Amino acid sequence: DGFKLFKEGRYQEAASLLEQAQKGYQAPQYLLYIGRAYAKIGKLVEARSAFVAAGEMSVPVAAPQEFAGKFEKARTLAAEDLAQLSKRLPTVKLAVKGPPSAAVRVSETSSTIHVVVEQEVVIVQMNVGEHVLHVEASGFAPTDVRFSAAEQVLGVSIETVKSHLNRVREKYARAGREARTRSELLVRAVEDGL
């Protein structure tokens, strides 16, 4: 069964069997382990979808108390797993200039993505790897954005790290102590006792 395959570390097979079981009988326990299996094999967007779906399920009205307790426990664990996964999930924020954010469409042909539209920003969550996001809006020229997405470490994106390093380099430059390369930055850190 799917739970056994998960415990054996056969995550792709476990996800497949658990998805079949979920189609026959919907339960957050299946979705919880589908999400966990996907997270183990790097399908973070798919894991996110499973955790969200588990959290949205309602306990059947006539369910026995023991079943309702297990149901709620699975929902709670899925919410906890989702919170942890969100810290790892590669995320890109696209600033929208011109069309209203709601009019922007983002797609990716080779991978599953999750898109959230906010005021003047389109947030795209994706799996680790190479991506080409196709961005379009009515009345505007479509564009493709190519990049490599990495997991966030401790909830900090690559862009945040680069931004902080650039600010450190700028401070060293203002102090007359250039640190343009990684080697120069390391020398400055050693000089400063870091």
Side-chain angles (χ1 to χ4, degrees):
D1 82 354
F3 296 112
K4 181 180 177 200
L5 290 172
F6 181 89
K7 288 178 183 174
E8 292 172 358
R10 297 165 57 189
Y11 303 118
Q12 183 64 56
E13 294 170 81
S16 295
L17 276 180
L18 291 166
E19 285 174 337
Q20 290 174 13
Q22 176 68 10
K23 287 177 186 173
Y25 182 79
Q26 295 188 358
Q29 295 89 331
Y30 292 138
L31 291 167
L32 171 65
Y33 277 89
I34 290 167
R36 287 177 172 176
Y38 277 137
K40 291 282 190 184
I41 59 175
K43 292 186 174 185
L44 305 181
V45 175
E46 292 83 347
R48 180 200 171 282
S49 294
F51 294 145
V52 168
E56 292 174 347
M57 292 188 77
S58 300
V59 178
V61 177
Q65 180 133 359
E66 181 181 338
F67 175 83
K70 290 179 181 178
F71 198 98
E72 286 302 324
K73 182 177 180 182
R75 288 182 53 198
T76 300
L77 291 172
E80 291 171 3
D81 285 9
L82 177 61
Q84 291 303 310
L85 179 74
S86 295
K87 295 175 186 175
R88 297 174 47 203
L89 199 57
T91 302
V92 172
K93 293 181 181 180
L94 304 172
V96 179
K97 306 283 186 214
S101 298
V104 175
R105 291 177 305 284
V106 180
S107 60
E108 218 282 25
T109 57
S110 65
S111 166
T112 303
I113 60 174
H114 174 71
V115 179
V116 177
V117 177
E118 294 182 355
Q119 291 180 326
E120 299 180 17
V121 177
V122 176
I123 300 169
V124 184
Q125 295 176 318
M126 66 211 67
N127 292 323
V128 172
E130 300 297 318
H131 293 275
V132 178
L133 295 180
H134 183 71
V135 184
E136 59 184 335
S138 182
F140 293 84
T143 188
D144 289 336
V145 181
R146 297 175 188 280
F147 60 94
S148 179
E151 260 191 59
Q152 294 188 39
V153 180
L154 301 175
V156 179
S157 71
I158 299 291
E159 289 75 27
T160 300
V161 172
K162 286 180 181 178
S163 173
H164 287 300
L165 287 173
N166 286 335
R167 285 200 307 253
V168 168
R169 286 185 173 112
E170 289 168 7
K171 287 181 181 182
Y172 275 122
R174 284 195 303 270
R177 300 170 65 207
E178 292 290 326
R180 292 176 293 228
T181 66
R182 285 185 281 189
S183 299
E184 290 174 349
L185 193 56
L186 178 61
V187 168
R188 298 294 172 252
V190 170
E191 289 172 350
D192 294 339
L194 300 176

